[in-house]
């Protein structure tokens, strides 16, 4: 989460794109992300809670509070969120709750569920 906050702070949209779950990258609008990053002044990030996300895990969650200024509003604004992450091939990705999951093929009953729960599809979303 800290690296994504730094990515927003520094306007590193390519990094933010690459660290978003590949099954959601098609839904990202990089020009809108860049515009928002350019207009936003980031103040601070506080990590409030974490769940899983260790080297052994394939899923993790981070609850955070980010403070920022976004003109024309002069006051410091706050964004609080509990973000989900998934590890694939040893790399952690942010799961954007506002974007659909793009699947190349429909999952089989015994395939891992695409929601990232770690359960088989038939025991989760199937």
């Amino acid at each position: 989460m800290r690296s994504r906050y730094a990515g927003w702070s520094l306007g590193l949209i390519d990094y933010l794109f690459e660290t978003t779950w590949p099954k959601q990258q098609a839904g990202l609008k990089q020009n809108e992300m860049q515009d928002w990053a350019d207009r936003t002044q980031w103040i601070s990030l506080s990590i409030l809670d974490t769940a899983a996300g260790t080297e052994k895990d394939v899923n993790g969650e981070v609850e955070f509070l980010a403070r920022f200024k976004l003109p024309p509003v002069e006051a410091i604004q706050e964004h609080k969120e509990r973000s989900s992450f998934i590890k694939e091939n040893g790399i952690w990705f942010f799961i954007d709750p506002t974007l659909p999951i793009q699947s190349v093929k429909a999952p089989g009953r015994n395939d891992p569920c695409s929601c990232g729960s770690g359960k088989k599809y038939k025991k989760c979303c199937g």
Side-chain angles (χ1 to χ4, degrees):
M1 188 65 240
R2 287 181 177 93
S3 73
R4 287 186 56 85
Y5 174 83
W8 281 111
S9 297
L10 298 171
L12 303 175
I13 303 309
D14 288 342
Y15 175 77
L16 295 167
F17 179 86
E18 292 166 8
T19 58
T20 299
W21 196 18
K23 293 180 180 182
Q24 295 181 309
Q25 290 174 351
L28 294 174
K29 296 177 181 168
Q30 290 178 275
N31 57 337
E32 291 178 14
M33 293 168 66
Q34 187 69 61
D35 178 59
W36 195 73
D38 291 345
R39 293 182 297 115
T40 305
Q41 177 190 357
W42 293 95
I43 309 296
S44 66
L45 173 70
S46 300
I47 303 298
L48 306 175
D49 186 38
T50 61
T54 67
E55 187 66 30
K56 297 178 280 185
D57 296 315
V58 295
N59 295 83
E61 293 183 351
V62 177
E63 185 175 4
F64 69 92
L65 177 67
R67 292 179 183 83
F68 62 96
K69 286 186 179 181
L70 181 61
V73 177
E74 291 299 320
I76 294 175
Q77 301 178 58
E78 294 184 340
H79 175 74
K80 184 177 179 183
E81 181 178 310
R82 186 163 191 95
S83 294
S84 296
F85 294 83
I86 186 168
K87 184 167 52 173
E88 292 183 346
N89 300 318
I91 300 170
W92 284 102
F93 295 101
F94 169 66
I95 300 174
D96 190 322
T98 67
L99 293 176
I101 297 169
Q102 306 290 322
S103 181
V104 177
K105 67 175 183 83
R109 291 176 36 80
N110 291 316
D111 289 342
C113 191
S114 60
C115 75
S117 68
K119 298 177 183 176
K120 289 184 178 182
Y121 180 70
K122 68 182 178 187
K123 296 279 188 178
C124 192
C125 295

